[in-house]
């Protein structure tokens, strides 16, 4: 459900840009990053941070603060990426630590 809400949010941003080229480029990025977004959002503590980060993006847009919106978007992406990378590293470490299934 949360992934759907974020996708809707991004759709509103792209429609608001009124730039079909930007919309197509952003759509390609969104599609490529769906798995990482799901990974980031799987962290139990991520939701409150995501909501706060998106709120900052919206507030900057409403204030017509392009630089502030850019920085809020960058901070959001960096934060989500850090969480996703941490989770992926933890999964990799768990996989390495798990005993291999012996084949007779």
């Amino acid at each position: 459900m949360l992934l759907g809400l974020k996708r809707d949010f991004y759709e509103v941003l792209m429609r608001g840009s009124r730039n079909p080229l930007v919309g197509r480029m952003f759509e390609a990025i969104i599609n490529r990053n769906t798995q990482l977004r799901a990974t980031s959002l799987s962290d139990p503590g991520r939701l409150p941070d995501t909501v706060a980060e998106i709120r900052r993006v919206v507030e900057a847009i409403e204030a017509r603060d392009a630089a502030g919106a850019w920085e809020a978007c960058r901070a959001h992406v960096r934060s989500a990426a850090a969480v996703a990378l941490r989770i992926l590293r933890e999964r990799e470490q768990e996989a390495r630590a798990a005993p291999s299934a012996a084949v007779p």
Side-chain angles (χ1 to χ4, degrees):
M1 182 172 132
L2 185 54
L3 285 174
L5 290 173
K6 283 201 70 181
R7 184 146 181 85
D8 292 347
F9 172 74
Y10 293 140
E11 177 64 27
V12 168
L13 285 179
M14 289 306 94
R15 272 190 271 128
S17 78
R18 296 186 183 103
N19 186 322
L21 177 60
V22 169
R24 285 192 302 273
M25 291 180 351
F26 192 73
E27 182 71 24
I29 291 168
I30 292 298
N31 289 337
R32 292 187 76 178
N33 290 325
T34 297
Q35 185 62 43
L36 287 175
R37 191 173 313 105
T39 300
S40 169
L41 290 172
S42 73
D43 183 88
R46 182 71 186 127
L47 180 58
D49 292 339
T50 297
V51 170
E53 292 160 8
I54 295 297
R55 182 175 291 120
R56 285 192 287 278
V57 172
V58 171
E59 288 170 354
I61 291 169
E62 288 175 338
R64 299 191 176 280
D65 177 3
W70 166 254
E71 190 51 46
C73 287
R74 260 177 61 159
H76 171 60
V77 169
R78 284 183 174 166
S79 180
V83 171
L85 289 172
R86 179 184 49 78
I87 290 169
L88 292 173
R89 283 188 201 108
E90 288 170 359
R91 289 179 184 171
E92 183 178 8
Q93 289 171 351
E94 289 169 4
R96 286 184 185 164
S100 300
V103 178

